[in-house]
Amino acid sequence: MSAKTLYDKLWESHLVQTDKDGTALIYIDRHLVHEVTSPQAFEGLRLAERKPWRVDANLATPDHNVPTTERAGGVKAIEDPISRTQVETLDANCIEFGITEFEMLDTRQGIVHVVGPEQGATLPGMTVVCGDSHTSTHGAMGALAFGIGTSEVEHVLATQCLIQKKSKAMQVRVEGKTGPGVTAKDIVLAIIGEIGTAGGTGYAIEFAGSAIEDLSIEGRLTLCNMAIEAGARAGFVAVDDKTIDYVRGRPYAPDSDQWERAVASWRTLHSDEGAEFHRVVTLDAAAIKPQVTWGTSPEMVVGIDDSVPNPADEPDSVKAEGMGRALDYMGLEAGTPMSDIALDKVFIGSCTNSRIEDLRAAAQIANGRQVAANIKLALVVPGSGLVKAQAEEEGLDRIFTDAGFEWREPGCSMCLAMNADRLSPGERCASTSNRNFEGRQGQGGRTHLVSPAMAAAAAVSGHFVDVASLINR
Amino acid sequence: MQKFEIFTGIVCPLDRSNVDTDAIIPKQFLKSIKRSGFGPNLFDEWRYLDQGEPGMDNSKRPVNPDFVLNDSRYIGAQILLTRKNFGCGSSREHAPWALEDYGFRVILAPSYADIFFNNCFKNGLLPIVLEEKIIDDLFRLASDDQALGMTVDLHKQALVIGDERILFEVDPFRKHCLINGLDDIGLTLQKIDAIKAYEKQRKSEAPWLFHGK
């Protein structure tokens, strides 16, 4: 038998049927549902008088629209009437179709991509989908996970399957030891800087190499989360001891009588020796500095010790024009050292970076320091109610509030500004989220993507700074 | 889904690469629980000078005269010509819904983001991949004083401009679905036996995947 990639194994174990032209029907093990991309899908089911194929494969929670401030009033108290309708619609649909939902006031509520792994609802070897592009996150568990549109949400609800074509396989290897202050976020931003935002289009990416093996599961979740920013629908990491230790004891993990059998099966979830990839990219971990984006696409990224690049140095004219437009939008001059860029707001949160290790890393920098006077708002938004509770147990909330950060309720918040948390036109933000697109965090808002530690360092300094200089103090 | 028939339309040139779905339809319009009505807010932040919110009377808003959709040459355009990696970012199907609701039927670009590309076909929208050089030529033609008209023939997989024909590739399954206006779910439900057989087999191999809580 020929050597297989992890992608081959995940794909083949979910094949229901393949047509002659390669169009395949694949089975979906877990479907995560949130309020923004599901209402039209449920409506479609109702109109066609269809029922969900397998109710227990679904898990829902509202995240995009929920307020991160006071929630005591419940869903009824959500100020924006359209946001409220969307959350109420999710609640009503889950009741009508019998789907488990962690409602807004449930401690288990949170960002779907934080909640899934946290609950053990995302398991190694699964296919996981959600009407959200950052579903690639769950690949960190050794799963095939990808974002889908609303028509496909309806398709999964109705059939437990999706019509797909197999992607090409890419391996991104990061070898060696990372330097001080360099996190999974910096690694993935460096990867995107290397291959570009379309570099992974048409591929499923397996992340491998010693620097990836060294990452914790939470670090791998951050890494796989941004596979989509490199254009790849799915990104994943092979299963190892860390994966299995992470899953053990979680609410949706296999029962004890099936545990050993499950683990034996998960141990096979790696690429075989000699497996071939359509493309292999290798990065040197030691060469990666803490990363900061300067433009309006995640590929517009440099190290903290670098400067804003000059479009005049770019030979590709279409690309140079895009760079010029990005600099205009961002209000930046070519040649400005990244560490000279002053900020207005700081956002620590999102499905990329709102887990407990992220909050610990940020709190370590914030501890005993103060948010700089020029920072109008520094926001910490935990990824779930359980992350929030854990952080409070560790006293991280006090560290943040003592330093002048705001400590909020869980949700997507200012990553995409569908709720009240957003940037005003022209405001500049250090953000641990995943997209620095024009208007993403509020119309006219200027987003710089960084790691949680770098965001905290920027908050206490008022401008970007190499976090390593604060760690080694 | 509506059947995709041969048609002739105007080409609107949007000369930017990496156009993301946040730009195609900004997040504030995603709060709708409907599938229709997104057209007036297509490219909202580029198209209007003020800040758009759901429920506004869009006909009374100040338009950005420099944005190509507002150029009188391209009023009623049904074909969008653009650059590489179109539709990157968020998986929101609201993006193809907005393009379709505005009146676009076809997109021409050198490449697309995967999820967006897939979403288009579910909504009767045809994204066509063309070589960069052909896209460059089309940008030159479409930017003329006289708007460029083009016939799109999916059966023959051809774009016809006057006497010229540009052939394009399309996945046979997707072509079949577009031409016949087929609903994917209906097609999959014809395979119920295969799905059930798979489930049975999988349940015996990996029973822990079938545990609800």
Side-chain angles (χ1 to χ4, degrees):
Chain A
M1 204 169 63
S2 63
K4 287 180 179 171
T5 64
L6 172 54
Y7 180 56
D8 291 331
K9 294 179 185 181
L10 292 168
W11 176 265
E12 288 166 15
S13 62
H14 289 89
L15 263 183
V16 173
Q17 209 175 65
T18 313
D19 289 344
K20 275 183 232 111
D21 70 346
T23 305
L25 193 63
I26 66 163
Y27 192 79
I28 303 303
D29 297 312
R30 177 67 66 201
H31 180 212
L32 301 165
V33 180
H34 65 82
E35 78 279 22
V36 177
T37 55
S38 68
Q40 297 87 351
F42 283 115
E43 184 62 18
L45 284 190
R46 260 190 298 272
L47 290 173
E49 297 181 6
R50 287 174 177 141
K51 290 262 176 280
W53 180 277
R54 223 187 97 197
V55 168
D56 69 317
N58 299 282
L59 179 63
T61 191
D63 56 6
H64 284 63
N65 272 293
V66 294
T68 58
T69 47
E70 183 52 46
R71 283 184 185 173
V75 176
K76 280 192 180 59
I78 298 178
E79 221 166 286
D80 178 343
I82 324 179
S83 289
R84 187 171 65 231
T85 303
Q86 219 167 39
V87 176
E88 285 172 343
T89 305
L90 178 68
D91 292 351
N93 282 328
C94 287
I95 290 169
E96 179 183 341
F97 291 101
I99 289 169
T100 304
E101 182 194 1
F102 299 158
E103 292 180 13
M104 194 179 80
L105 294 178
D106 191 313
T107 2
R108 298 168 298 176
Q109 177 268 338
I111 306 172
V112 281
H113 309 311
V114 174
V115 169
E118 182 176 81
Q119 290 293 321
T122 308
L123 293 173
M126 272 185 165
T127 41
V128 181
V129 298
C130 173
D132 190 284
S133 60
H134 291 110
T135 308
S136 58
T137 310
H138 307 265
M141 307 303 303
L144 177 59
F146 53 91
I148 55 178
T150 298
S151 296
E152 288 178 314
V153 169
E154 185 181 338
H155 195 280
V156 173
L157 282 168
T159 70
Q160 211 52 47
C161 292
L162 279 176
I163 299 169
Q164 296 281 300
K165 280 228 163 138
K166 196 175 178 188
S167 305
K168 289 180 284 183
M170 184 190 301
Q171 190 182 43
V172 175
R173 303 192 65 85
V174 187
E175 302 285 5
K177 292 273 174 212
T178 50
V182 175
T183 66
K185 181 65 162 286
D186 303 295
I187 293 176
V188 72
L189 283 171
I191 292 169
I192 297 164
E194 176 78 21
I195 70 173
T197 46
T201 304
Y203 288 94
I205 299 181
E206 179 178 346
F207 296 101
S210 59
I212 305 301
E213 289 162 22
D214 285 347
L215 290 176
S216 67
I217 295 300
E218 293 198 359
R220 295 176 194 176
L221 289 163
T222 300
L223 176 80
C224 292
N225 172 274
M226 291 191 70
I228 184 66
E229 308 316 329
R233 284 181 87 170
F236 34 79
V237 178
V239 170
D240 61 10
D241 289 343
K242 288 180 190 173
T243 326
I244 290 162
D245 289 343
Y246 180 92
V247 175
R248 187 178 284 121
R250 294 190 182 265
Y252 282 73
D255 295 336
S256 54
D257 59 325
Q258 286 172 2
W259 177 257
E260 290 307 324
R261 211 176 142 197
V263 168
S265 142
W266 298 342
R267 292 275 181 206
T268 66
L269 295 172
H270 54 79
S271 289
D272 296 332
E273 195 69 39
E276 286 186 26
F277 294 86
H278 296 91
R279 188 180 170 196
V280 177
V281 176
T282 305
L283 273 78
D284 173 13
I288 300 172
K289 294 279 180 192
Q291 302 283 300
V292 184
T293 63
W294 56 267
T296 53
S297 163
E299 69 184 15
M300 296 173 166
V301 65
V302 291
I304 178 64
D305 54 351
D306 226 321
S307 303
V308 176
N310 193 337
D313 300 335
E314 172 58 55
D316 177 340
S317 65
V318 175
K319 211 166 169 183
E321 208 185 307
M323 287 170 73
R325 190 181 293 129
L327 288 184
D328 274 354
Y329 181 86
M330 293 298 288
L332 290 174
E333 293 273 345
T336 308
M338 293 310 289
S339 55
D340 282 2
I341 298 173
L343 297 148
D344 302 304
K345 286 183 175 170
V346 173
F347 171 61
I348 298 174
S350 87
C351 56
T352 314
N353 281 129
S354 64
R355 297 176 185 84
I356 191 69
E357 289 174 15
D358 297 318
L359 302 187
R360 285 179 192 144
Q364 194 199 341
I365 301 300
N367 195 5
R369 296 191 171 96
Q370 283 298 313
V371 169
N374 59 308
I375 303 293
K376 291 183 247 179
L377 177 71
L379 212 55
V380 186
V381 184
S384 72
L386 292 174
V387 170
K388 181 168 184 260
Q390 171 76 26
E392 288 174 356
E393 204 180 296
E394 295 178 19
L396 305 185
D397 58 322
R398 287 296 302 276
I399 293 175
F400 285 122
T401 51
D402 286 351
F405 288 83
E406 288 191 21
W407 179 247
R408 296 286 187 88
E409 297 294 327
C412 298
S413 180
M414 208 159 74
C415 173
L416 84 168
M418 275 190 80
N419 69 355
D421 310 333
R422 62 185 68 178
L423 298 181
S424 300
E427 278 182 343
R428 189 179 298 284
C429 181
S431 177
T432 66
S433 54
N434 40 56
R435 292 193 173 128
N436 50 349
F437 297 158
E438 284 185 24
R440 171 82 177 179
Q441 294 193 296
Q443 192 171 19
R446 294 160 171 167
T447 304
H448 296 269
L449 304 177
V450 288
S451 75
M454 282 290 286
V460 298
S461 309
H463 56 88
F464 288 115
V465 60
D466 187 344
V467 65
S469 69
L470 299 186
I471 298 172
N472 297 335
R473 183 180 54 154
Chain B
M1 200 169 70
Q2 231 190 326
K3 289 182 184 180
F4 194 100
E5 316 258 3
I6 185 167
F7 77 98
T8 301
I10 289 172
V11 180
C12 176
L14 177 66
D15 199 357
R16 294 186 186 216
S17 46
N18 296 314
V19 172
D20 59 77
T21 53
D22 275 79
I24 296 173
I25 182 83
K27 67 233 153 218
Q28 61 269 36
F29 305 106
L30 267 52
K31 295 176 186 178
S32 167
I33 56 170
K34 301 198 191 103
R35 262 177 206 262
S36 54
F38 295 101
N41 301 108
L42 175 68
F43 300 119
D44 198 273
E45 287 184 14
W46 294 340
R47 190 164 154 197
Y48 301 99
L49 293 170
D50 63 345
Q51 193 159 337
E53 289 297 335
M56 281 173 126
D57 181 352
N58 293 296
S59 65
K60 298 211 166 91
R61 294 174 60 195
V63 298
N64 173 7
D66 298 329
F67 185 57
V68 69
L69 236 56
N70 294 325
D71 187 316
S72 58
R73 281 175 293 178
Y74 308 120
I75 301 288
Q78 290 176 287
I79 301 162
L80 183 67
L81 173 66
T82 185
R83 299 283 184 184
K84 69 172 182 172
N85 201 27
F86 187 78
C88 60
S90 159
S91 62
R92 59 189 69 166
E93 199 161 316
H94 311 68
W97 292 339
L99 287 160
E100 195 265 348
D101 194 63
Y102 178 87
F104 286 116
R105 311 268 309 279
V106 169
I107 310 170
L108 309 174
S111 63
Y112 301 86
D114 282 341
I115 303 177
F116 173 82
F117 188 71
N118 211 30
N119 284 341
C120 284
F121 290 98
K122 318 276 180 196
N123 294 285
L125 203 58
L126 174 61
I128 297 174
V129 178
L130 296 173
E131 277 173 44
E132 208 122 10
K133 199 191 146 297
I134 297 176
I135 292 287
D136 283 342
D137 290 344
L138 289 175
F139 265 105
R140 266 190 297 278
L141 291 172
S143 307
D144 243 359
D145 291 344
Q146 182 84 43
L148 174 66
M150 179 187 283
T151 300
V152 182
D153 186 341
L154 178 55
H155 276 280
K156 294 183 178 146
Q157 296 180 213
L159 306 174
V160 185
I161 306 167
D163 299 334
E164 250 195 277
R165 292 159 68 86
I166 303 168
L167 298 180
F168 61 86
E169 295 288 322
V170 60
D171 178 274
F173 173 71
R174 284 165 162 161
K175 175 179 175 179
H176 173 75
C177 290
L178 274 180
I179 286 176
N180 297 294
L182 293 177
D183 160 22
D184 279 1
I185 298 178
L187 287 173
T188 300
L189 286 175
Q190 290 170 8
K191 299 177 178 171
I192 280 185
D193 293 344
I195 302 172
K196 288 196 167 155
Y198 172 89
E199 274 186 333
K200 195 172 163 214
Q201 165 89 11
R202 189 74 172 153
K203 224 179 244 180
S204 68
E205 289 167 1
W208 59 89
L209 293 174
F210 292 82
H211 283 191
K213 296 275 162 169

